[in-house]
Amino acid sequence: MFWLMFLLHVVLVRYTAPEGLAMGKPGCRTKCGTVDVPFPFGIEPGCFQEGFDLTCQHNATDGTYKLLSGNVEVREILLPTSQVRMDTGISWQCYDNITRNITYSSTELNFKSTRFTISHIYNKFVSIGCDTLTYNTMMDYNNYKYRTGCVSVCYSRESLQNGTCSGIGCCVTPIPPGLNFCSFSFDTNFNSSTLSVRDFKRCSFAALMEEDSFFFKTYYVTKVYDYSYYSNVRVPTLLDWSISNETCEVAQRMENYECVSSNSVCIDQTTGLGYSCNCSKGYHGNPYLEDGCQDINECADSSICSGSICLNEPGGYQCLCPPGTLGDPSHGVACYPRDHKMHIGITIAIGGGAGAALLILVLATWFLIRRLKLRRNKKLKQKFFKQNHGLLMQRLISPTEDASGRMKIYGLEELEKATNKFDQTRILGCGGHGTVYKGILSDLRVVAIKKSKIIKQSEINQYMNEVVILSQINHRNVVKLFGCCLEAEVPLLVNEFISNGTLSDHLHVQGRRSLQWKDRLRIALETARAISYLHSAASMSIFHRDIKCSNILLDDCLTAKLSDFGASKSIEIDQTVIITAVQGTYGYFDPEYYHTGRLTEKSDVYSFGVILAELLTRKKPYSICTSLEGGGLIAHFITAMRENHLFDILDSQIVEEGPREQLEEVAVLTEKCLRLRGVERPGMKEVEVRLEVISGSTKGLEHPTQSGSQSSWDHTRVANNRKSKGEISRQYSLEEEILLSAEFAR
Ligand SMILES: *[C@@H]1O[C@H](CO)[C@@H](O)[C@H](O)[C@H]1NC(C)=O
Ligand SMILES: *[C@@H]1O[C@H](CO)[C@@H](O)[C@H](O)[C@H]1NC(C)=O
Ligand SMILES: *[C@@H]1O[C@H](CO)[C@@H](O)[C@H](O)[C@H]1NC(C)=O
Ligand SMILES: *[C@@H]1O[C@H](CO)[C@@H](O)[C@H](O)[C@H]1NC(C)=O
Ligand SMILES: *[C@@H]1O[C@H](CO)[C@@H](O)[C@H](O)[C@H]1NC(C)=O
Ligand SMILES: *[C@@H]1O[C@H](CO)[C@@H](O)[C@H](O)[C@H]1NC(C)=O
Ligand SMILES: *[C@@H]1O[C@H](CO)[C@@H](O)[C@H](O)[C@H]1NC(C)=O
């Protein structure tokens, strides 16, 4: 109530302790009435740091609480700024125009030998009155003494003005920093000879208070209350406090360093002795307690990213643009649509009244419906985006970096436009993992857009797998991934469009001009390069797991491009084996992997061996239509090798075209790749080198004398040919058994 007199303008910004965070030591009271009492302050013994003990007085008569430091009331404790707001008294003096008597009372603020100093930034020395000279005697923490004065004079009552404290009835002076003592007194003999002020009864005041809380009113001077009233007037004063006398530098080396919470910082007191603690940027809570500083969830404030997506992180947050838009909201670049459409201003010349009005009504309705629809669509898109790990992806693939040729996130709209709303006529093929559409992007780039048929989380994960793997690969024999779209129910992949179909089409579709041997050999080499690159050259080892002819695409120049990484697994480069559920395509997968579930790089080598066999024989690895009786191509191939009638099962076309020796060498390599035990198969790098050597000899049939590895290879080949037939036949029979068991399992 007494505050009212000086505080008509005050707006107290209450410091509220963050919800759910411990503010005091366990078992300690942290509230007195409505005032929070965070550690190092405390009420009960053992709950406070030395010098921060407070008492909480409860008045049972009117149910109020009073928090006191000594005999000064504490209104508020501010941890982040190391301040307290206290109620302090005022000095006053009243002049009686009838008796000409002067009555006065003087006050002092005494914070000597406490941890508090008076903030010189927020507080001012205020003096109010007519014909008033006030002295302020001060002392700082070094026991230096200061004295200032403030004069306020009124020529007449009419010269006073509300709100201005300019020496007319009111004056303000700043104070020096680091004070812990002040006392105010009046010069009772002060006479400025303005006689008119002696005509009325009036009082003068002096106080040290928060400048922001003070607003001068003319009636402070002109209206006189009962004198006892003034003795109870309190004004807010802001005090700084520090936790100890040492500087941060010294304290941090000491045992009783008080900033014990992680993510806290030490702040040297600039206007006094000692230091205080604060939570680091992006954290809030109590730095004086262990784990007292907690991450601020900035995203709880929904307006913080205004329109973009907010991602809370320890100590901060990020604003990300929604899918299909570009921008950098964290750095003040607002998100804008990727395909920035010009909003066509509709200008309608209203010629004839009623007709035009009707038109506008229709248009408005149409617009409204469209907007509602768009909004619903947008919500749905956002849901899918989340479901499709959009946020994760967005961090993986920077949306702003597509200019540098990296992956990009496409909006659904853009892809719908590119594929004519996924028109049937645009379907290129239906793979095991989904449908592939041909699309033409707005920049006239032709792309293949892959869309899964089934909506299962596992399937989506497979897609994400492909995206993550392809985003790390850059090889001329691997299909390039331009980007993806996460806004559809299932993620869409946007790949390089490869025009000439799959290797499988070229080999097995009837009536198609068959590939020449030299092309087949080159395709084999390019495929081997791609696989070898995946195994070793990429930043982490990648096993494709689904290598087959229909996953090798050919472009106009018949360059091979490996595709479909849906089943691929990436592993740390020094890890060589992983156990997984068997995945792959029947006829291509490694029998050892099939039996043990142990995935190694040699599984891909086996699949590649099957492709080599296909290239040599132009037969499908395992199909009901195989004219070969008793099992698949592989079994047949190996039998033919064993029984030395290889040339009977080779494609007659290449027997005519290819040098006999070259065919033989590829056949031997094929047999090696198809070894039953993974350890016996060559590594992919070895296969690649071997194929390079073989194709290098296309021109001259004679081997040029080459590296040691070549001769050792030849040596093993000879040894191989001489190997006992028993081993090969064991291999064959085991394999057959596996293939048969696989058949039963399905
Ligand atoms: C308690 O409150 C009543 C009513 O406001 C007051 O008269 C009394 O003096 C208060 N007692 C103390 C100890 O402050
Ligand atoms: C303490 O941290 C808060 C929040 O980061 C900041 O507002 C305040 O100014 C800091 N206090 C000091 C004394 O630096
Ligand atoms: C005025 O002051 C005189 C002397 O200082 C004193 O005797 C007298 O009682 C005072 N009058 C009042 C009304 O306070
Ligand atoms: C100052 O404000 C008070 C009310 O707040 C009003 O009664 C008074 O007339 C004002 N004085 C001047 C000089 O404007
Ligand atoms: C103040 O000064 C004026 C002129 O200097 C004098 O007439 C008057 O009596 C003085 N008043 C007091 C209270 O000393
Ligand atoms: C004293 O001041 C009051 C107003 O404060 C006024 O009404 C009264 O007339 C004054 N008396 C004398 C003797 O000047
Ligand atoms: C801090 O210094 C003041 C005076 O410089 C002294 O009175 C007080 O005891 C000291 N406090 C501590 C905790 O050292």
Side-chain angles (χ1 to χ4, degrees), residues 638-646 725:
I638 286 164
T639 316
M641 288 281 290
R642 183 187 60 185
E643 288 167 14
N644 247 330
H645 55 79
L646 172 69
K725 288 180 177 181

Side-chain angles (χ1 to χ4, degrees), residues 199-265:
D199 294 346
F200 58 96
K201 188 177 177 177
R202 64 192 197 282
C203 293
S204 307
F205 312 95
L208 196 110
M209 65 182 293
E210 265 184 87
E211 193 184 18
D212 287 352
S213 316
F214 178 70
F215 187 84
F216 177 66
K217 296 276 183 188
T218 55
Y219 68 81
Y220 293 168
V221 182
T222 56
K223 192 170 177 186
V224 178
Y225 295 84
D226 189 55
Y227 294 166
S228 65
Y229 175 92
Y230 299 125
S231 300
N232 289 317
V233 169
R234 293 287 179 273
V235 293
T237 307
L238 212 56
L239 294 118
D240 299 320
W241 50 268
S242 60
I243 189 78
S244 95
N245 279 1
E246 291 82 23
T247 60
C248 282
E249 204 192 336
V250 175
Q252 273 159 353
R253 281 187 267 117
M254 285 169 52
E255 217 168 58
N256 59 348
Y257 177 54
E258 303 285 349
C259 309
V260 292
S261 176
S262 45
N263 302 311
S264 66
V265 290

